[in-house]
């Protein structure tokens, strides 16, 4: 399948792309390169290949969500450049 300049203009219109008139021929060549590449992919024998649900063959195991060290507010605030009333003090960002 080959793309012509009218098809490039139609695809550009449908995808809301602005392609300048001097770039249509270049875009046509690029579209045809892409379609040729897809045709090459269609030649690959995939008869005995099962479809993938995910590219990862193993499932990610999640750790149990539990608190290991709680009530450390004072230790955490000790690292802050400035703290007040048990909170970090930061410069005002929004006026």
């Amino acid at each position: 399948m080959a793309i012509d300049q009218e098809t490039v203009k139609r695809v550009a219109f449908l995808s809301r792309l602005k392609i300048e008139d001097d770039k249509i021929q270049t875009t046509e060549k690029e579209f045809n390169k892409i379609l040729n590449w897809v045709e090459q992919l269609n030649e690959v024998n995939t008869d005995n290949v099962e479809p993938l649900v995910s590219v990862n063959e193993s499932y990610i195991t999640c750790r149990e969500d539990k608190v290991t060290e709680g009530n450390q507010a004072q230790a955490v605030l000790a690292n802050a450049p400035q703290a007040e009333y048990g909170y970090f003090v930061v410069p005002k960002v929004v006026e």
Side-chain angles (χ1 to χ4, degrees), residues 45-91:
N45 183 4
T46 59
D47 290 340
N48 296 325
V49 179
E50 293 187 28
L52 293 175
V53 175
S54 173
V55 295
N56 296 327
E57 291 185 14
S58 61
Y59 295 100
I60 298 174
T61 55
C62 298
R63 63 175 171 77
E64 183 182 343
D65 191 16
K66 61 181 179 179
V67 177
T68 54
E69 293 182 35
N71 298 325
Q72 298 288 326
Q74 293 303 323
V76 171
L77 287 174
N79 294 320
Q82 191 175 2
E84 192 173 298
Y85 305 113
Y87 297 98
F88 290 98
V89 177
V90 296

Side-chain angles (χ1 to χ4, degrees), residues 4-92:
D4 60 357
Q5 290 186 6
E6 290 303 315
T7 307
V8 170
K9 290 178 184 177
R10 177 103 172 113
V11 169
F13 172 76
L14 291 173
S15 59
R16 306 297 189 257
L17 295 173
K18 182 179 180 182
I19 300 176
E20 302 295 333
D21 290 336
D22 59 334
K23 301 283 185 186
I24 289 179
Q25 189 173 11
T26 306
T27 306
E28 175 188 355
K29 289 177 184 176
E30 290 296 319
F31 280 0
N32 283 317
K33 283 182 187 177
I34 293 168
L35 288 175
N36 287 333
W37 183 72
V38 170
E39 286 298 321
Q40 288 178 356
L41 288 178
N42 286 334
E43 294 174 5
V44 175
N45 183 4
T46 59
D47 290 340
N48 296 325
V49 179
E50 293 187 28
L52 293 175
V53 175
S54 173
V55 295
N56 296 327
E57 291 185 14
S58 61
Y59 295 100
I60 298 174
T61 55
C62 298
R63 63 175 171 77
E64 183 182 343
D65 191 16
K66 61 181 179 179
V67 177
T68 54
E69 293 182 35
N71 298 325
Q72 298 288 326
Q74 293 303 323
V76 171
L77 287 174
N79 294 320
Q82 191 175 2
E84 192 173 298
Y85 305 113
Y87 297 98
F88 290 98
V89 177
V90 296
K92 186 175 181 179

